[in-house]
Amino acid sequence: KAVDLVEQKLGKPRTVSLSSVVPVSGGEMRSFDAFLGDELMKRPQGFSHETIRHLVHIYGSEYRKILQYCEQDSEWAEPVCGDSPAIKAQILHAGREEMACTLEDILYRRTELAATGEPDEASVNTCADIIARELKSCGASRQAALAQRA
């Protein structure tokens, strides 16, 4: 709609846009509620309804990519901290697939860990540990990740 308006205001010919018919990443579903209900019914063993609900709300139909990390190593299915449904696989995914390069990026933009205020120390430390391991090839360290927050 914005492009259409700009083209109209500039007197440019209208271009064909596919954005109204091409789903965004994770939007491969007809009905969100039906998709969520189906996924909750067939949730993999070891995952709570809350975790699946959380992942579907964040990643939509792409949430299974997060579960694939958990299949490779059960550590990734563990919660980031006790009061959040976020799991460690989300941090790994942010670094590997979403180009998150800093602890701040993970805490504030790639997860909901800072959505309700400043994340707790446990969440920060867990994320720092994971991102430091993940970025080891770049020479990153846990201390460097935490220093970025200071």
Side-chain angles (χ1 to χ4, degrees), residues 9-86:
K9 296 255 184 205
L10 295 176
K12 302 281 183 182
R14 188 162 184 223
T15 57
V16 177
S17 172
L18 298 176
S19 63
S20 65
V21 294
V22 175
V24 296
S25 177
E28 298 290 331
M29 63 189 81
R30 290 186 182 177
S31 162
F32 179 81
D33 291 334
F35 179 80
L36 177 59
D38 289 345
E39 297 307 309
L40 288 172
M41 283 194 313
K42 62 183 182 185
R43 70 184 161 85
Q45 185 176 352
F47 290 95
S48 69
H49 280 88
E50 180 185 22
T51 299
I52 298 301
R53 184 175 289 110
H54 163 77
L55 294 174
V56 170
H57 273 273
I58 292 179
Y59 302 99
S61 59
E62 297 288 313
Y63 90 97
R64 291 179 196 99
K65 288 182 178 180
I66 307 303
L67 297 182
Q68 288 176 348
Y69 296 111
C70 304
E71 292 170 6
Q72 296 167 7
D73 186 335
S74 61
E75 174 193 0
W76 302 124
E78 296 172 4
V80 172
C81 65
D83 63 346
S84 171

